Amino acid sequence: MKYETILQEIYIELKSLSITGNLTTSIPELSKVNPDKFGMHISTIDGQDFGIGDSNEKFSIQSVSKALTVALAFSFLDEEIWKRVGVEPSGSSFNSLIQLEYELGIPRNPFINAGAIVIADMLVTHLENPKQDFLDFIRMISGSPTIDFNLKVAQSEKDTRFRNAALTNFLKSFGNIHNDVETVLDFYFHQCSVEMTCKELAHSFFFFANEGKTKAGVQVLTQSQVKRLNALMQTCGFYDESGEFTYRVGLPGKSGIGGGIAALFPKNFVVATWSPRLNKKGNSELGMNALELLTTKTGMSVF
Ligand code: GLU
């Protein structure tokens, strides 16, 4: 497969699209980003790397981190985690409170905020130094020791935390948060503030495509666990647009309001895109188009 040529073709075709999306407004610090950035990076399972555009520039991975925290929690708690978080698409927005009320504080899945906050609570309980240990985990899986939190972004989210604070308090009222609310939120804001380049993000997600093994050969999850998390990314990874993403792209993945998307074709490749202009559902508009072009041109998707 000539990935280099395909990336160039995608890059040219994207330039002719008229884009209507805008930057997120929910985290003030993120509205300072140049909206016209675009990067894309492909890492193949046989070890090749191909990047284009701003693929070596760092951006805020935001909710893409939810796939990494659930992987870490799954690695030591295994099926236990599903006692406190479900595995069904939510059909409502990522930061919705409504469903939690009638489903008695059990979030639908680990990729909506409520679910990710419960996973954050599990990590706060089980890790000795939660923020540092999570950072060490993503540095290890990506092979990139410079990956870090963006403290300004974490603070900006803390300053405007009202809805996430409401969700966490609501979860706690149902007994589904075991630690102090502010401690869990602090962890959650830091995990979302992590910055990576497209290349680092693709390398971080490598184990999802490689039967649980990182690029350096570390077995992070079993093949069966990875199958389950890929299934969840396929059905729940793109906010209330997971069906549309599956229809157009046909790969499991996870998006974030920083404009990043990580997606993968098991046993073949991992791909990361970044473009901060979001569509109405909160997914990167150019990122989705780029990935649709990738699976159309290569004929490589899980379907
Ligand atoms: N930190 C963001 C929030 O909780 C993440 C949102 C996202 O990327 O979906 O609102």
Side-chain angles (χ1 to χ4, degrees):
M1 192 60 67
K2 297 215 176 321
Y3 287 111
E4 207 161 357
T5 316
I6 289 171
L7 279 186
Q8 276 160 6
E9 283 176 20
I10 292 172
Y11 195 65
I12 291 164
E13 285 180 46
L14 290 182
K15 281 194 189 298
S16 64
L17 291 181
S18 60
I19 293 296
T20 54
N22 282 309
L23 289 169
T24 180
T25 50
S26 69
I27 301 176
E29 194 63 25
L30 292 183
S31 55
K32 296 179 183 166
V33 174
N34 177 348
D36 298 319
K37 292 285 177 185
F38 173 80
M40 184 166 187
H41 186 96
I42 297 175
S43 286
T44 64
I45 289 302
D46 60 10
Q48 301 180 76
D49 280 297
F50 306 93
I52 199 153
D54 303 309
S55 63
N56 280 316
E57 211 168 299
K58 301 237 185 217
F59 61 93
S60 188
I61 69 168
Q62 289 298 317
S63 280
V64 184
S65 67
K66 293 172 180 169
L68 303 176
T69 49
V70 75
L72 181 55
F74 208 23
S75 73
F76 48 74
L77 292 173
D78 201 20
E79 297 287 317
E80 278 289 299
I81 66 176
W82 309 127
K83 289 186 180 156
R84 294 175 57 194
V85 185
V87 294
E88 293 295 339
S90 72
S92 44
S93 77
F94 71 99
N95 55 9
S96 167
L97 280 140
I98 299 169
Q99 222 161 25
L100 266 188
E101 166 101 67
Y102 58 80
E103 294 186 354
L104 306 175
I106 305 293
R108 275 280 172 115
N109 66 66
F111 298 142
I112 52 173
N113 282 14
I117 288 168
V118 171
I119 297 290
D121 182 62
M122 293 177 194
L123 293 179
V124 167
T125 298
H126 288 270
L127 299 176
E128 208 165 314
N129 301 298
K131 288 189 280 188
Q132 187 57 46
D133 293 353
F134 175 62
L135 211 46
D136 290 344
F137 172 70
I138 54 182
R139 286 173 176 169
M140 184 273 287
I141 57 172
S142 63
S144 183
T146 61
I147 289 176
D148 216 335
F149 303 124
N150 179 325
L151 299 180
K152 277 192 185 165
V153 172
Q155 185 61 45
S156 181
E157 189 166 358
K158 185 176 181 186
D159 294 342
T160 52
R161 69 187 179 288
F162 309 108
R163 185 170 274 263
N164 283 324
L167 278 170
T168 314
N169 279 295
F170 203 38
L171 286 162
K172 186 141 180 113
S173 76
F174 286 105
N176 205 6
I177 290 292
H178 299 170
N179 296 284
D180 168 61
V181 164
E182 287 300 328
T183 307
V184 175
L185 283 171
D186 182 62
F187 178 87
Y188 174 73
F189 298 147
H190 279 80
Q191 78 166 72
C192 289
S193 82
V194 164
E195 290 188 323
M196 291 193 198
T197 65
C198 289
K199 186 175 183 179
E200 289 168 338
L201 188 55
H203 288 182
S204 302
F205 270 64
F206 195 89
F207 71 92
F208 286 117
N210 192 34
E211 301 177 324
K213 251 192 233 165
T214 67
K215 208 165 155 48
V218 180
Q219 193 81 46
V220 175
L221 292 177
T222 65
Q223 192 180 347
S224 160
Q225 286 175 320
V226 152
K227 178 192 79 175
R228 297 183 196 288
L229 295 189
N230 286 343
L232 266 180
M233 283 196 268
Q234 188 75 62
T235 50
C236 312
F238 295 88
Y239 307 115
D240 194 18
E241 198 175 34
S242 300
E244 176 85 9
F245 188 88
T246 292
Y247 179 78
R248 284 176 52 192
V249 178
L251 297 175
K254 184 72 200 87
S255 62
I257 56 167
I261 298 180
L264 58 119
F265 183 24
K267 301 180 196 147
N268 279 278
F269 63 75
V270 192
V271 55
T273 59
W274 171 50
S275 166
R277 290 188 187 273
L278 309 178
N279 67 18
K280 288 198 171 67
K281 296 285 174 87
N283 289 307
S284 168
E285 198 175 343
L286 275 186
M288 261 177 92
N289 280 303
L291 293 169
E292 182 176 17
L293 284 169
L294 176 69
T295 52
T296 304
K297 285 174 184 292
T298 59
M300 293 169 88
S301 91
V302 298
F303 300 105

